[in-house]
Amino acid sequence: MNYYSFEYPYLIFLLIPIIYCLYRCKEYMKPIYFVHLQFLSAKKNFLKLEWIVKILIFIMLCIALSSPIIIDKLNPYNRNGKDIVLSIDSSGSMNSSGFDFEDEVSEGKRLSRFEITKIIATKFIKKRVSDNIGIVLYGDFAFIASPITYEKEIVSKMLSYMTQGMAGQNTAIGEAITMSVRAFKHSVAKTKIIILLSDGEHNSGVISPKDAVKLALDKKIKIYTIAMGNKGEADEALLKEIASQSNGEFFSAASAKELKKVYSDIDKLESSKIKSREYLLKDYFYQIFLLLASGLLLFLLYRELKK
């Protein structure tokens, strides 16, 4: 999809003082006195050709300064982005506070781990410009809170409605991975990723993490795992094994600042090729308006020389 825009749109406002000055700032001419002046009078035409041409020159120059561009945005249904599922723990331990020691996210408020995770995950979602994102929430069981979609605003909105405890108070990591795999049912992306966050130990559900990882491997899904909280709270050994078996990576975060860094690191590791390609699809057209302005200026000079 193509659309027109300006690189520096605010420069268009230069036209306001320029046109005002052209109209109000009159040329001062030394008066010459004649008798019977009525025989020599001539009405000054406001819309005379020279004035119109001068206005057009300044318009062209201001448009050129604003750098008109055509941006070719790729069809979101025909791109090479990645499909990502954020699998977020909503168990009872995620309700504890005191995770944001340096006030990186809370802004002075007393927020729970779950609320801090939502804020950081939302920022991650909005940065993944060319990818599809989905959300799985888990506790005693797991459910798809938002299906995989390109509409980042919808995913962010759905995440904002999620509350701690919606899926129960325990931690079913096997169920979380299985449901995340199920979220990829209609995915045609070459790269499929699960980002699994947990602050506890697997203690619920009928599916073991080992069996769930096998399902992910069969679908060629990579799993990044994040152990949230102080050392020993999450089952780091299990999360490391899950990441290792699925060709992903393991991360740990003991504070909100570290959790922000983890999501930032994953964003870099799985950077999207199309994100940088969008800038290559800009076509600049300021040269056309510079040429038009130059042509009109030459026209004025030619008229002056003929006088």
Side-chain angles (χ1 to χ4, degrees), residues 89 164 182 190:
D89 190 346
Q164 182 277 322
R182 193 174 297 173
K190 291 182 180 179

Side-chain angles (χ1 to χ4, degrees), residues 11-25:
L11 291 177
I12 286 288
F13 292 110
L14 287 173
L15 281 172
I16 297 172
I18 290 170
I19 293 176
Y20 177 81
C21 189
L22 283 172
Y23 174 61
R24 298 294 298 178
C25 305

Side-chain angles (χ1 to χ4, degrees), residues 10 56 91 100 129 155 170 173 204 237 239 249 270 294:
Y10 50 85
L56 287 173
S91 61
D100 194 2
V129 177
V155 180
N170 292 308
I173 292 176
S204 185
L239 295 175
E249 285 194 35
E270 295 294 342
S294 300

